[in-house]
Amino acid sequence: MTSSSALPAQAGRACHNVVNPFHSTHYFAPELPAEMARIGVEDRSAGYFACRSAAMGAVGPGTVTATFYNFNHDLVARHVPHVWSVTTPEAVLAARLRAADATLRRLLGDEAVESPEMAEAAKLALRATEGCTRHARPLYAAHADLPVPDAPHLAYWHAATLLREHRGDGHLLALLDAELDGLEALVSHTASGRGMSYRGVMATRGWEEEDWQAAQERLRTRGLLDAEGELTEAGVQLRKDLEARTDRLDRAPYEHLGAEGVARLTELATGFTTTAMNAGAFPAVLFGK
């Protein structure tokens, strides 16, 4: 294992920022709802809750709310556990993989999907996951129990999923430590200009306008948000501290991969993610202010 001193500051975060979108493409693609509909799941929220939680088995709404963190529990409970009366976790995982395959082939093209660079990215990302840990990371641990797909682009997608959920589980610990509930985390992230837009949050997370306003008021009381809904100096510092704490909790896979490997994975991932974004992988209306 490479020592942490050999890894440039924020190199792990920079790598995550370009690897993570490779995983996320299927959430916004028409292929996922189409595959979910084939197994009887027509509602998009139900499909999202099912496909992201399926690795944990047919869990109930409490587990989904706990591990996803920023969704209104009432929205979760509207679809879980009902979705498990329609289909099974095994069928959902298979549908999700088919959707990822079709989505990546459409966005990147068969040449990129079958390229030596894709195989190299998969090898590097999987090596990084060897540094991940299961304790206190339920979504990562559940996905780590799944088999690695044979096709290089799906192996890379699987590794990106593991790295995403590993960092995400650690981020929730940082949010708890900062005493931010799920909606406060969303409001402050949106105010930073780096999170989902207000419209995106309202369209996907199940919150109402009065919930949003109440969360804003709680943040104002703490001196983190100003009257216009912008982060105060303290709020900006809190978001910086959150990211730094998340980086610290997520450093192990990138230390394991080492500085050279992280730099190469970042380079490869940037190319694939840029191609996907240029192909319209992500709806701009859902992100940023």
Side-chain angles (χ1 to χ4, degrees):
M1 183 179 294
T2 304
S3 67
S4 60
S5 61
L7 197 65
Q10 300 187 4
R13 187 196 305 181
C15 189
H16 163 80
N17 286 343
V18 287
V19 170
N20 177 42
F22 192 87
H23 159 85
S24 302
T25 51
H26 74 300
Y27 291 132
F28 307 97
E31 288 85 355
L32 183 59
E35 287 291 347
M36 295 302 290
R38 285 178 55 189
I39 60 173
V41 182
E42 302 281 353
D43 186 276
R44 288 192 73 123
S45 291
Y48 175 79
F49 295 143
C51 76
R52 193 164 170 228
S53 69
M56 296 187 289
V59 297
T63 300
V64 173
T65 300
T67 53
F68 289 21
Y69 200 83
N70 57 32
F71 286 81
N72 187 327
H73 180 68
D74 291 342
L75 175 63
V76 176
R78 198 177 306 156
H79 301 293
V80 181
H82 174 71
V83 68
W84 302 126
S85 69
V86 175
T87 188
T88 65
E90 293 77 14
V92 167
L93 289 170
R96 188 189 198 191
L97 198 60
R98 291 194 300 269
D101 178 37
T103 298
L104 294 171
R105 288 184 180 278
R106 173 176 56 83
L107 294 172
L108 302 178
D110 288 341
E111 184 176 349
V113 161
E114 297 166 7
S115 67
E117 290 79 12
M118 183 65 74
E120 184 183 2
K123 182 178 179 180
L124 289 168
L126 286 169
R127 187 185 305 159
T129 67
E130 295 171 359
C132 295
T133 55
R134 284 181 167 84
H135 45 273
R137 299 183 195 266
L139 276 174
Y140 162 76
H143 285 86
D145 286 342
L146 301 177
V148 179
D150 292 329
H153 69 295
L154 294 179
Y156 176 39
W157 179 84
H158 174 74
T161 303
L162 297 183
L163 292 170
R164 165 199 170 92
E165 300 298 9
H166 187 269
R167 183 177 180 88
D169 286 338
H171 186 59
L172 302 193
L173 299 177
L175 291 173
L176 282 173
D177 187 55
E179 299 182 63
L180 292 176
D181 65 29
L183 186 51
E184 291 165 358
L186 286 172
V187 170
S188 61
H189 199 202
T190 297
S192 76
R194 297 177 180 273
M196 294 186 76
S197 65
Y198 169 81
R199 180 176 175 182
V201 170
M202 291 300 167
T204 60
R205 265 50 180 174
W207 301 104
E208 301 293 340
E209 171 61 23
E210 54 266 33
D211 299 319
W212 182 272
Q213 292 179 359
Q216 285 186 315
E217 189 55 38
R218 293 194 298 274
L219 293 174
R220 289 192 187 99
T221 299
R222 292 178 59 183
L224 302 174
L225 212 65
D226 64 21
E228 286 71 42
E230 301 294 330
L231 291 175
T232 62
E233 185 176 340
V236 170
Q237 187 60 51
L238 178 137
R239 292 301 318 184
K240 287 181 179 179
D241 291 345
L242 276 171
E243 292 304 319
R245 191 171 294 115
T246 302
D247 288 346
R248 180 171 56 81
L249 293 172
D250 191 42
R251 69 181 183 268
Y254 303 101
E255 288 180 359
H256 181 80
L257 183 56
E260 184 177 341
V262 169
R264 179 57 175 160
L265 178 57
T266 302
E267 178 185 6
L268 293 168
T270 297
F272 293 132
T273 291
T274 300
T275 299
M277 292 180 71
N278 289 341
F282 303 103
V285 71
L286 294 181
F287 299 97
K289 290 185 180 180

